[in-house]
């Protein structure tokens, strides 16, 4: 099983609208590239941009 492959994408913070480059895990997890803690505004809820 190779369930660790991540896809690069873009996502927008639900709170402040900032857009980040993110890693998208196969299980739906989203992790901002270069800021693992989430958005600087303090939220970590992101909406993936398609
Ligand atoms: Zn934010």
């Amino acid at each position: 099983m190779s369930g660790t492959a991540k896809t690069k994408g873009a996502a927008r913070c639900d709170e402040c609208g900032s857009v980040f480059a993110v890693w998208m895990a196969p299980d739906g997890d989203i992790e901002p590239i270069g800021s693992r803690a989430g958005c600087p505004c303090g939220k970590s809820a992101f909406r993936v941009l398609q």
Side-chain angles (χ1 to χ4, degrees):
M1 301 280 278
S2 60
T4 56
K6 293 180 178 177
T7 307
K8 209 172 185 177
R12 181 191 294 125
C13 175
D14 261 355
E15 181 70 16
C16 70
S18 295
V19 176
F20 297 91
V22 295
W23 290 115
M24 296 180 291
D27 63 2
D29 230 29
I30 296 174
E31 176 184 295
I33 297 172
S35 112
R36 304 179 67 114
C39 183
C41 80
K43 291 284 183 174
S44 56
F46 299 98
R47 192 173 301 275
V48 175
L49 304 177
Q50 299 286 351

